[in-house]
Amino acid sequence: FACSGAVDPYGFERSEDFDYESYEELMSEYLVVLTRRSIKWSKLLKGKSKVQKNVKLKRYVRKGIPNEHRAAIWMAASGAQDQLDKNPGYYQSLLGADHDSKLMDTICTDLNRTFPDNIQFRKTSNSCLLKSLYNVLLAYGHHNPTVGYCQGMNFIAGYLLIITKDEEKSFWLMEALLGRILPDYFSPAMLGLKMDQEVLGELVRAKIPKMWRIMADHNVSWTLVVSRWFICLYIDVLPVETVLRIWDCLFYEGSKILFRVALTLIHHNEALIQQAQSLPDICQIFKQITHGPIVDNCHAFMQRIFFDPGSLSTSTLTKLRVTCRSRIIAEES
């Protein structure tokens, strides 16, 4: 669909106070980067039906996947394409199965709350995505009855549909995210989500101790300030273009990227957070730090997330997850 000034390229309406001037300035720089990357990607993919994961591809992904290749690379990197190939017709069979009426009702309730500011999710739109969104969520709920449907999943499925424009691909990407990439974020107990918020706390304690101290002094739980970051994978938290760049890495490198983003936001705003006098102050500041020039410039921001937080190995993450998980289980029992 055509992108008019009041609507961004993905269908989101721009706010009334949208700063067109800085946006134009930023985009003119970013378009140069995009064009250069696009040429490199076309060369890389020329005549290839499959891409192999390697150091070069990882570097390319970190510098951003051009929109025309995004769906294909997400599918390949996450293993979703393999699953789709191995299970032809599976998605359709889920839609054809008997439906759980409770699941249908829960999904329907949330449909209209999904991206009210996006013209593609309106009944009046010619290419309305609401029916596709309903189908993807319903199919996933039947595929994974332990999870069924959970708030937040509508936003993830919505973003996948905006990018892939394809229900079946969106379903398999959702399956890759919820089944493999994110450790049980959406299970009924949300143990993985709670665990990763605690893990972030431990990483802050190790890497930005002053920040950890402030949070502890004001008795702020990490859940209070970062749960939306994790559960929505930064959707509606950071600008669309920045979220998509984060997702490029999420599908390729896994959930470690979510911590890099969080640590960079906290690290960059250390001085601001230190001014907080109370718990409400801190909550307000955490809402504030996801806006502004640092996150609008998605290319520079993505460079920072691999530099600012320093090293973050998978083994460190795995150890912290084990520790935090047992701590949460002990506290909840």
Side-chain angles (χ1 to χ4, degrees):
F1 61 98
C3 157
S4 65
V7 176
D8 80 2
Y10 305 99
F12 290 97
E13 289 175 322
R14 299 202 162 115
S15 60
E16 286 178 6
D17 57 359
F18 185 78
D19 183 349
Y20 287 93
E21 216 165 293
S22 0
Y23 175 76
E24 292 299 322
E25 203 175 308
L26 203 62
M27 274 321 274
S28 62
E29 282 173 37
Y30 190 46
L31 282 171
V32 177
V33 175
L34 285 178
T35 311
R36 191 173 66 231
R37 298 309 313 158
S38 195
I39 293 165
K40 292 201 164 186
W41 273 94
S42 298
K43 271 189 193 153
L44 180 78
L45 299 173
K46 198 173 179 200
K48 288 195 183 90
S49 58
K50 272 208 155 58
V51 284
Q52 289 302 317
K53 279 190 158 188
N54 56 34
V55 179
K56 184 178 184 179
L57 189 61
K58 183 178 182 175
R59 196 177 69 239
Y60 271 45
V61 169
R62 285 184 171 189
K63 290 182 178 179
I65 305 169
N67 237 345
E68 65 268 25
H69 301 304
R70 203 161 241 151
I73 299 296
W74 284 5
M75 290 291 291
S78 63
Q81 189 61 51
D82 285 347
Q83 288 300 315
L84 191 156
D85 296 343
K86 280 181 200 151
N87 301 284
Y90 178 65
Y91 175 71
Q92 290 308 326
S93 74
L94 290 169
L95 289 180
D98 286 339
H99 296 323
D100 171 347
S101 58
K102 195 169 162 227
L103 179 70
M104 289 161 72
D105 292 346
T106 323
I107 293 172
C108 283
T109 313
D110 261 10
L111 276 188
N112 297 324
R113 299 182 195 151
T114 311
F115 302 132
D117 58 341
N118 190 307
I119 59 172
Q120 300 193 73
F121 290 86
R122 290 202 189 135
K123 294 189 177 101
T124 49
S125 148
N126 1 347
S127 58
C128 177
L129 291 175
L130 285 174
K131 179 75 179 125
S132 296
L133 179 63
Y134 173 76
N135 287 347
V136 172
L137 293 170
L138 186 66
Y140 190 80
H142 285 297
H143 163 73
N144 186 348
T146 12
V147 169
Y149 171 76
C150 232
Q151 271 187 329
M153 284 164 61
N154 51 330
F155 293 112
I156 293 173
Y159 250 56
L160 293 171
L161 283 165
I162 290 172
I163 295 302
T164 62
K165 316 240 186 305
D166 182 295
E167 285 182 26
E168 192 175 20
K169 285 179 182 169
S170 298
F171 167 79
W172 286 111
L173 284 167
M174 188 108 173
E175 197 271 333
L177 272 175
L178 275 52
R180 295 190 295 282
I181 297 172
L182 308 170
D184 50 307
Y185 274 26
F186 290 95
S187 63
M190 290 190 159
L191 188 57
L193 184 73
K194 293 174 188 166
M195 168 186 76
D196 275 1
Q197 294 170 83
E198 291 300 311
V199 169
L200 177 64
E202 293 302 325
L203 288 169
V204 171
R205 190 205 294 246
K207 290 175 179 288
I208 327 169
K210 275 188 194 159
M211 284 299 93
W212 188 83
R213 203 50 279 153
I214 287 172
M215 300 294 278
D217 289 346
H218 290 296
N219 205 4
V220 184
S221 73
W222 289 97
T223 290
L224 193 61
V225 286
V226 300
S227 62
R228 270 194 68 224
W229 297 7
F230 283 90
I231 201 159
C232 290
L233 309 175
Y234 296 102
I235 294 174
D236 265 0
V237 172
L238 294 174
V240 183
E241 206 61 59
T242 310
V243 175
L244 293 171
R245 288 287 301 270
I246 293 166
W247 282 30
D248 288 347
C249 299
L250 179 66
F251 283 117
Y252 192 92
E253 300 180 40
S255 54
K256 197 159 63 167
I257 196 81
L258 303 175
F259 297 99
R260 285 196 166 280
V261 173
L263 287 166
T264 304
L265 288 170
I266 294 166
H267 182 265
H268 179 76
N269 293 284
E270 224 175 314
L272 188 63
I273 300 169
Q274 278 173 349
Q275 294 168 11
Q277 301 293 318
S278 63
L279 190 144
D281 276 0
I282 290 181
C283 294
Q284 192 45 50
I285 290 168
F286 266 82
K287 282 200 182 98
Q288 213 176 312
I289 66 178
T290 55
H291 301 279
I294 172 178
V295 294
D296 289 339
N297 186 342
C298 61
H299 201 59
F301 182 71
M302 292 306 286
Q303 286 168 327
R304 295 186 75 128
I305 70 168
F306 292 108
F307 179 75
D308 284 9
S311 76
L312 179 55
S313 71
T314 305
S315 61
T316 305
L317 204 53
T318 308
K319 275 187 208 136
L320 284 174
R321 277 176 165 160
V322 171
T323 316
C324 293
R325 197 181 185 93
S326 1
R327 193 163 71 203
I328 292 164
I329 292 171
E331 283 167 7
E332 288 186 351
S333 60

PDB file of all heavy atoms in Angstrom, residues 226-237:
ATOM      1  N   VAL A 226      10.727  -3.593  32.974  1.00  0.00           N
ATOM      2  CA  VAL A 226      11.137  -4.147  31.667  1.00  0.00           C
ATOM      3  C   VAL A 226      10.256  -5.278  31.128  1.00  0.00           C
ATOM      4  O   VAL A 226      10.543  -5.812  30.061  1.00  0.00           O
ATOM      5  CB  VAL A 226      12.614  -4.641  31.669  1.00  0.00           C
ATOM      6  CG1 VAL A 226      13.555  -3.503  31.981  1.00  0.00           C
ATOM      7  CG2 VAL A 226      12.809  -5.808  32.611  1.00  0.00           C
ATOM      8  N   SER A 227       9.162  -5.626  31.831  1.00  0.00           N
ATOM      9  CA  SER A 227       8.397  -6.783  31.346  1.00  0.00           C
ATOM     10  C   SER A 227       7.876  -6.557  29.924  1.00  0.00           C
ATOM     11  O   SER A 227       7.890  -7.474  29.109  1.00  0.00           O
ATOM     12  CB  SER A 227       7.266  -7.137  32.299  1.00  0.00           C
ATOM     13  OG  SER A 227       6.364  -6.068  32.377  1.00  0.00           O
ATOM     14  N   ARG A 228       7.466  -5.325  29.611  1.00  0.00           N
ATOM     15  CA  ARG A 228       6.958  -5.064  28.252  1.00  0.00           C
ATOM     16  C   ARG A 228       8.055  -5.198  27.202  1.00  0.00           C
ATOM     17  O   ARG A 228       7.792  -5.591  26.066  1.00  0.00           O
ATOM     18  CB  ARG A 228       6.319  -3.674  28.165  1.00  0.00           C
ATOM     19  CG  ARG A 228       4.845  -3.710  28.486  1.00  0.00           C
ATOM     20  CD  ARG A 228       4.123  -2.436  28.098  1.00  0.00           C
ATOM     21  NE  ARG A 228       4.040  -2.242  26.660  1.00  0.00           N
ATOM     22  CZ  ARG A 228       4.280  -1.083  26.061  1.00  0.00           C
ATOM     23  NH1 ARG A 228       4.647  -0.039  26.747  1.00  0.00           N
ATOM     24  NH2 ARG A 228       4.150  -0.982  24.745  1.00  0.00           N
ATOM     25  N   TRP A 229       9.273  -4.842  27.570  1.00  0.00           N
ATOM     26  CA  TRP A 229      10.393  -4.957  26.624  1.00  0.00           C
ATOM     27  C   TRP A 229      10.515  -6.406  26.164  1.00  0.00           C
ATOM     28  O   TRP A 229      10.672  -6.684  24.986  1.00  0.00           O
ATOM     29  CB  TRP A 229      11.712  -4.538  27.272  1.00  0.00           C
ATOM     30  CG  TRP A 229      11.797  -3.117  27.711  1.00  0.00           C
ATOM     31  CD1 TRP A 229      10.777  -2.197  27.709  1.00  0.00           C
ATOM     32  CD2 TRP A 229      12.955  -2.443  28.224  1.00  0.00           C
ATOM     33  NE1 TRP A 229      11.250  -1.000  28.193  1.00  0.00           N
ATOM     34  CE2 TRP A 229      12.567  -1.118  28.518  1.00  0.00           C
ATOM     35  CE3 TRP A 229      14.264  -2.829  28.475  1.00  0.00           C
ATOM     36  CZ2 TRP A 229      13.469  -0.174  29.043  1.00  0.00           C
ATOM     37  CZ3 TRP A 229      15.160  -1.897  28.989  1.00  0.00           C
ATOM     38  CH2 TRP A 229      14.759  -0.588  29.272  1.00  0.00           C
ATOM     39  N   PHE A 230      10.454  -7.307  27.133  1.00  0.00           N
ATOM     40  CA  PHE A 230      10.669  -8.725  26.827  1.00  0.00           C
ATOM     41  C   PHE A 230       9.431  -9.380  26.213  1.00  0.00           C
ATOM     42  O   PHE A 230       9.542 -10.094  25.231  1.00  0.00           O
ATOM     43  CB  PHE A 230      11.095  -9.484  28.093  1.00  0.00           C
ATOM     44  CG  PHE A 230      12.548  -9.258  28.451  1.00  0.00           C
ATOM     45  CD1 PHE A 230      12.925  -8.221  29.292  1.00  0.00           C
ATOM     46  CD2 PHE A 230      13.538 -10.068  27.925  1.00  0.00           C
ATOM     47  CE1 PHE A 230      14.270  -8.003  29.610  1.00  0.00           C
ATOM     48  CE2 PHE A 230      14.886  -9.862  28.233  1.00  0.00           C
ATOM     49  CZ  PHE A 230      15.245  -8.831  29.077  1.00  0.00           C
ATOM     50  N   ILE A 231       8.260  -9.130  26.803  1.00  0.00           N
ATOM     51  CA  ILE A 231       7.089  -9.869  26.338  1.00  0.00           C
ATOM     52  C   ILE A 231       6.669  -9.420  24.939  1.00  0.00           C
ATOM     53  O   ILE A 231       6.166 -10.207  24.144  1.00  0.00           O
ATOM     54  CB  ILE A 231       5.917  -9.789  27.337  1.00  0.00           C
ATOM     55  CG1 ILE A 231       4.955 -10.948  27.089  1.00  0.00           C
ATOM     56  CG2 ILE A 231       5.192  -8.471  27.284  1.00  0.00           C
ATOM     57  CD1 ILE A 231       4.085 -11.282  28.258  1.00  0.00           C
ATOM     58  N   CYS A 232       6.901  -8.143  24.610  1.00  0.00           N
ATOM     59  CA  CYS A 232       6.531  -7.665  23.271  1.00  0.00           C
ATOM     60  C   CYS A 232       7.734  -7.607  22.346  1.00  0.00           C
ATOM     61  O   CYS A 232       7.626  -7.127  21.217  1.00  0.00           O
ATOM     62  CB  CYS A 232       5.874  -6.299  23.353  1.00  0.00           C
ATOM     63  SG  CYS A 232       4.256  -6.377  24.109  1.00  0.00           S
ATOM     64  N   LEU A 233       8.888  -8.089  22.821  1.00  0.00           N
ATOM     65  CA  LEU A 233      10.117  -8.077  22.011  1.00  0.00           C
ATOM     66  C   LEU A 233      10.345  -6.684  21.422  1.00  0.00           C
ATOM     67  O   LEU A 233      10.690  -6.538  20.261  1.00  0.00           O
ATOM     68  CB  LEU A 233      10.023  -9.135  20.894  1.00  0.00           C
ATOM     69  CG  LEU A 233       9.623 -10.543  21.344  1.00  0.00           C
ATOM     70  CD1 LEU A 233       9.449 -11.460  20.141  1.00  0.00           C
ATOM     71  CD2 LEU A 233      10.652 -11.110  22.308  1.00  0.00           C
ATOM     72  N   TYR A 234      10.100  -5.678  22.256  1.00  0.00           N
ATOM     73  CA  TYR A 234      10.317  -4.258  21.952  1.00  0.00           C
ATOM     74  C   TYR A 234       9.281  -3.636  21.013  1.00  0.00           C
ATOM     75  O   TYR A 234       9.387  -2.467  20.665  1.00  0.00           O
ATOM     76  CB  TYR A 234      11.744  -3.995  21.441  1.00  0.00           C
ATOM     77  CG  TYR A 234      12.772  -4.307  22.503  1.00  0.00           C
ATOM     78  CD1 TYR A 234      13.519  -5.479  22.472  1.00  0.00           C
ATOM     79  CD2 TYR A 234      12.965  -3.449  23.582  1.00  0.00           C
ATOM     80  CE1 TYR A 234      14.431  -5.779  23.481  1.00  0.00           C
ATOM     81  CE2 TYR A 234      13.872  -3.727  24.590  1.00  0.00           C
ATOM     82  CZ  TYR A 234      14.605  -4.900  24.532  1.00  0.00           C
ATOM     83  OH  TYR A 234      15.506  -5.188  25.538  1.00  0.00           O
ATOM     84  N   ILE A 235       8.242  -4.401  20.610  1.00  0.00           N
ATOM     85  CA  ILE A 235       7.155  -3.812  19.811  1.00  0.00           C
ATOM     86  C   ILE A 235       6.439  -2.773  20.659  1.00  0.00           C
ATOM     87  O   ILE A 235       6.152  -3.023  21.832  1.00  0.00           O
ATOM     88  CB  ILE A 235       6.109  -4.879  19.423  1.00  0.00           C
ATOM     89  CG1 ILE A 235       6.705  -5.910  18.483  1.00  0.00           C
ATOM     90  CG2 ILE A 235       4.879  -4.236  18.798  1.00  0.00           C
ATOM     91  CD1 ILE A 235       5.755  -7.066  18.201  1.00  0.00           C
ATOM     92  N   ASP A 236       6.107  -1.632  20.055  1.00  0.00           N
ATOM     93  CA  ASP A 236       5.405  -0.558  20.766  1.00  0.00           C
ATOM     94  C   ASP A 236       6.241   0.023  21.899  1.00  0.00           C
ATOM     95  O   ASP A 236       5.727   0.781  22.719  1.00  0.00           O
ATOM     96  CB  ASP A 236       4.057  -1.062  21.347  1.00  0.00           C
ATOM     97  CG  ASP A 236       2.918  -0.753  20.391  1.00  0.00           C
ATOM     98  OD1 ASP A 236       3.189  -0.171  19.328  1.00  0.00           O
ATOM     99  OD2 ASP A 236       1.759  -1.089  20.703  1.00  0.00           O
ATOM    100  N   VAL A 237       7.493  -0.387  21.975  1.00  0.00           N
ATOM    101  CA  VAL A 237       8.406   0.171  22.968  1.00  0.00           C
ATOM    102  C   VAL A 237       9.409   1.039  22.218  1.00  0.00           C
ATOM    103  O   VAL A 237       9.615   2.203  22.545  1.00  0.00           O
ATOM    104  CB  VAL A 237       9.135  -0.950  23.756  1.00  0.00           C
ATOM    105  CG1 VAL A 237      10.219  -0.361  24.655  1.00  0.00           C
ATOM    106  CG2 VAL A 237       8.150  -1.769  24.579  1.00  0.00           C
TER     107      VAL A 237
END
